[in-house]
Structure formats: structure tokens, C-alpha cells
Amino acid sequence: MFEPNSTIGWSISRLTMTAQELLAFLRTPKLEGNGWNRTGKPTDLIWLFAVNCMIVATIAVVLFPIMLAFDISMSSSMSDLFKRPVWQLLLIVVVVGPIFEELMFRSWLSGSPRLLIPFSGLVLWMALTYSYEQLGWAGPASMGTAILLALIAGAVLIGVIALWKRPVPNWYVRIFPLIFWIQALLFGSVHVFNYAGDNPAALLPFVLPQIVGGLIWGYARIRYGWWANIAMHMAYNLIATSGLVYILLTRPDVL
């Protein structure tokens, strides 16, 4: 239909090649031995982002009518977020949220020990503080929290310094495909709380766009580096909220 050397033909070729490379990685996620690890050019990220948007748009075409049919609505916390001033909404959704989520779910995905240690410390901190609240340790909460944070921070600092130049552990390389898919599924699943409902399992289909994001942004993290997944996440959230921002600016009485 289109000449290979034409602008449209060249664009389709680039999109097709990008999609094929993504699918090849998703079939067998690897940290090494893939022939292109960390060799992707920053400009190539534009094509990957285009593939991301096309996949999510296709999913949205299917899910949006279902959401309307079953009257799926946002959770109260999400509704309150969208009632904030536009600048606060953009700051939280486009800047703070993507940075925090990418640090939590994919900053450590490369398997470098100096990144795995801080991530492990964060998980330990969250687990212990939750236990602290549930068990109701004796003594002032502020003192217990400060001591706990100091101990974990000290252990993380020692671990990072000791393992700064260590290569990716062999055990991590072996189980990387499992880790890669788990992080994407977990990332998508936590977004089920964006919707209101008494049965979270019934809402899981509506987090498919986030699961796709977890897969593609994880791929970007491995191929392009730590900045790529953050940039893609920010751009995605900006586009996803642009319609709402337009309404907030032009017709605030609608919301």
C-alpha cells in the first residue's frame, strides 16, 4: 500500500520493528545475551511509546463501553485527587506519581546489587512499619519509628557500599523472567484500588492498561536505562489525564 521509502512506509516499518523487538523480549525476558542490552538509542523510545499508546488505545476501545455498561466508577481517593487544582493534579499524576512508582517497581529491575539493596530496605521498612502498627509495640511511636528507620538506613548504606561494584547475581539472572512478569502484574494489580467496588477481583480486567505499562516500561528500563521508564510513564500519564485537565480548565462545572 505504501512505498517502503515513503514517510508513512518508513514509519510503519519502524513501528513494526519496535513491536517485534518488544514481543521477542516479552517471550523470553533476559538481562544479558540478547544482543542489544542497553544499546537502544534514546530517539528509539519515541517508537516504543507509540506502540505503548496504540496497545492501550485498543484495550480502551474494548473496556470503556464495559465500564459504562457496569457503571464502574473511580474510588473516593481518586475522585478527591481529580478535585484538586490543575497544577496539583499535574504535579501528582505526571511528576511525583510516576517517579515514585518507577522507583518502587522498576528502579531495581536491572538486578544491580547496589539497587537491589535499597529496594530490599524499602520493602523491609514497609513490612516492619505495618507490623509495628498491627502489633502496637510499646513506647512512643515516633521513637520506635525513628530507631527502625535509622537501623534500616544504616544497613542499606553499608550494603550499598560493600556491593557497589558487584555484578548482577547469577541467581537473579536465572529467575529474571519470573521477576519481570511479577513486577508488571503486581504493578497493574495495585491500580485496582483506583476503582470503586466491593470485589477487587472483578475489577482486574480494568487494570490491563497498567499491566501493559508495567511490561513495556520494564522493557524500556532494561534496554535504555533508568530514565527511559520514568519518561515514558510521565508522558503516558500526561496524555491519559489531558482530557480531564481540558475539562477542568474549560468546563469546571461539569465535574
Side-chain angles (χ1 to χ4, degrees):
M1 182 182 295
F2 300 107
E3 293 294 331
N5 293 330
S6 67
T7 301
I8 296 178
W10 177 78
S11 299
I12 293 176
S13 176
R14 288 297 302 269
L15 284 171
T16 302
M17 181 178 66
T18 301
Q20 289 173 344
E21 292 176 347
L22 172 63
L23 288 174
F25 177 86
L26 295 180
R27 288 193 192 100
T28 55
K30 294 181 181 179
L31 279 174
E32 55 187 27
N34 48 29
W36 50 252
N37 190 31
R38 300 298 295 275
T39 61
K41 298 178 181 178
T43 52
D44 293 341
L45 203 64
I46 297 174
W47 300 102
L48 182 61
F49 184 68
V51 171
N52 189 171
C53 291
M54 292 170 65
I55 295 174
V56 171
T58 303
I59 295 174
V61 168
V62 177
L63 290 182
F64 189 67
I66 298 176
M67 293 180 68
L68 293 178
F70 289 91
D71 195 24
I72 303 297
S73 60
M74 293 184 296
S75 64
S76 58
S77 59
M78 289 297 293
S79 298
D80 292 341
L81 174 63
F82 291 142
K83 293 177 183 177
R84 290 173 176 267
V86 173
W87 71 269
Q88 290 185 13
L89 175 63
L90 291 176
L91 179 64
I92 295 172
V93 176
V94 180
V95 180
V96 177
I99 291 176
F100 174 80
E101 290 182 344
E102 292 305 314
L103 288 176
M104 180 67 187
F105 286 94
R106 281 170 285 278
S107 63
W108 49 270
L109 197 56
S110 63
S112 172
R114 65 175 180 266
L115 297 176
L116 289 174
I117 292 295
F119 172 72
S120 301
L122 177 60
V123 172
L124 180 62
W125 162 254
M126 294 173 63
L128 290 180
T129 50
Y130 176 77
S131 300
Y132 179 91
E133 295 175 355
Q134 296 299 312
L135 296 176
W137 292 353
S142 58
M143 181 180 298
T145 301
I147 293 174
L148 183 61
L149 180 60
L151 290 174
I152 294 177
V156 167
L157 180 60
I158 294 172
V160 169
I161 294 174
L163 302 176
W164 184 261
K165 294 184 178 181
R166 293 286 184 88
V168 178
N170 290 330
W171 62 265
Y172 187 88
V173 174
R174 288 194 297 270
I175 66 172
F176 175 73
L178 179 62
I179 291 176
F180 181 85
W181 277 91
I182 286 177
Q183 64 81 24
L185 294 173
L186 184 60
F187 173 74
S189 298
V190 298
H191 285 83
V192 75
F193 298 106
N194 290 353
Y195 303 99
D198 298 327
N199 186 3
L203 298 172
L204 286 176
F206 300 104
V207 300
L208 278 175
Q210 286 82 9
I211 293 176
V212 169
L215 293 171
I216 295 180
W217 302 336
Y219 168 73
R221 168 70 181 94
I222 298 302
R223 182 165 187 180
Y224 298 95
W226 62 268
W227 62 273
N229 49 305
I230 295 177
M232 288 188 68
H233 196 158
M234 286 181 170
Y236 175 86
N237 279 16
L238 178 61
I239 293 176
T241 57
S242 59
L244 177 61
V245 170
Y246 176 78
I247 294 174
L248 287 172
L249 292 173
T250 59
R251 293 289 305 277
D253 56 299
V254 173
L255 299 178

